[in-house]
Amino acid sequence: MKTASQYLRLSAEYERAAAQAADQFSRHQFLVLADSYLTLARSAEFLSQPHGLRTGQHQQEH
């Protein structure tokens, strides 16, 4: 798994590619990829933070 900063870099690269795309379809595809990598960056950041919900804890509460 990549780190949040690696995903952010990929997102920025695809945003730059979208800005340089020759047509609307390509621009849209690059922006979708950029958004996906941004979501992955947020998820990676969240998962790297200490929080109370650990594997198995949810099952023990119920």
Side-chain angles (χ1 to χ4, degrees):
M1 186 167 109
K2 296 184 182 303
T3 65
S5 63
Q6 290 170 317
Y7 286 128
L8 283 174
R9 266 187 255 119
L10 287 168
S11 179
E13 286 179 28
Y14 281 110
E15 283 183 2
R16 282 191 295 277
Q20 299 173 1
D23 60 83
Q24 189 65 26
F25 178 77
S26 296
R27 188 175 0 270
H28 175 74
Q29 293 298 310
F30 284 129
L31 288 174
V32 167
L33 286 168
D35 187 55
S36 296
Y37 279 114
L38 184 58
T39 299
L40 285 168
R42 289 177 179 151
S43 297
E45 181 63 26
F46 174 78
L47 292 173
S48 71
Q49 300 299 314
H51 49 81
L53 196 57
R54 296 281 184 227
T55 303
Q57 181 177 348
H58 180 71
Q59 294 170 349
Q60 294 171 358
E61 292 173 355
H62 294 282

